[in-house]
Amino acid sequence: SGISVASVAGGFPSAQMPFELRLREVQYAIDEGADEIDTVISRGMFLERKHLTVFEELSAIRSVCKDIKLKVILETGDLQTTDNIYTASKIALAAGADFIKTSTGKTAVGATEKAAYIMLKAIQEETKSTGRIIGFKAAGGISNAEQALNYYKIVEYFLGDNIDNNVFRIGASKLTKTLYEQLTQ
């Protein structure tokens, strides 16, 4: 159909299962036809300052994914500080993430413009350093067109105006519902 199949894997939404099982879940999703994998960092490990462990886990997941697109969810609402969001972004990018994503949509705080700004700054730096094209996905709580446009403008500021689904996506389940209701009234 030409439509990519994305799957969450690796202990979604909290990464709270043994790492070997998380890796097997990623491989299972790929074996079943996933074209993209969405995985989440272990926020507990990250907040305990076990940054090397988080990097090693993401690198191992990247290795399992091979050429499959890997989107790493940071769950920025749980990371507590802008420094943590920036550090988590840099770790995910260094481990080979093709996209970094704000949220699972399963926590109280989803996407925020502040988190987007920080994450996109990290992406911009990585792209300048390596030339690698890396995407950003705002997800969690985006429920109206104005919010979506604000994220688009932030992406445009950091990545330029050549924006497509390889560099920008929105988690749009709430947005789609809102737009549908507005258009069918």
Side-chain angles (χ1 to χ4, degrees):
S1 70
I3 297 172
S4 294
V5 174
S7 176
V8 296
F12 184 89
S14 60
Q16 295 295 307
M17 57 195 264
F19 185 66
E20 185 58 39
L21 291 177
R22 292 169 53 206
L23 279 179
R24 290 201 328 238
E25 185 180 43
V26 170
Q27 186 62 61
Y28 176 80
I30 292 167
D31 291 347
E32 291 297 311
D35 300 301
E36 300 182 3
I37 296 294
D38 288 33
T39 197
V40 63
I41 68 167
S42 172
R43 281 141 9 243
M45 293 275 193
F46 181 87
L47 292 171
E48 291 173 8
R49 298 281 184 228
K50 295 179 180 174
H51 296 165
L52 181 59
T53 301
V54 174
F55 171 79
E56 289 170 342
E57 288 181 353
L58 291 175
S59 294
I61 291 170
R62 169 80 269 166
S63 293
V64 170
C65 288
K66 297 180 179 78
D67 294 332
I68 300 291
K69 190 168 292 210
L70 176 62
K71 299 190 300 273
V72 175
I73 306 163
L74 304 182
E75 203 66 87
T76 55
D78 288 350
L79 296 182
Q80 303 168 350
T81 69
T82 56
D83 285 343
N84 281 349
I85 295 169
Y86 180 77
T87 300
S89 297
K90 295 298 270 188
I91 290 169
L93 296 171
D98 297 304
F99 265 78
I100 53 176
K101 185 174 166 181
T102 55
S103 176
T104 60
K106 305 288 185 194
T107 59
V109 178
T112 66
E113 292 174 15
K114 182 178 179 180
Y117 186 93
I118 296 162
M119 293 167 70
L120 282 155
K121 179 70 175 155
I123 289 171
Q124 182 186 54
E125 291 169 359
E126 182 75 10
T127 298
K128 281 183 181 177
S129 173
T130 67
R132 197 163 62 92
I133 302 299
I134 302 153
F136 167 77
K137 184 171 180 178
I142 301 166
S143 59
N144 63 57
E146 182 181 351
Q147 288 173 311
L149 181 59
N150 288 345
Y151 285 106
Y152 179 88
K153 290 304 213 179
I154 296 168
V155 170
E156 184 178 52
Y157 175 79
F158 281 101
L159 303 183
D161 60 1
N162 192 15
I163 298 171
D164 62 19
N165 70 348
N166 291 307
V167 295
F168 178 51
R169 298 183 187 176
I170 292 179
S173 55
K174 290 180 184 177
L175 176 63
T176 302
K177 182 179 183 228
T178 302
L179 292 176
Y180 177 78
E181 288 170 356
Q182 290 173 348
L183 292 171
T184 59
Q185 289 181 357

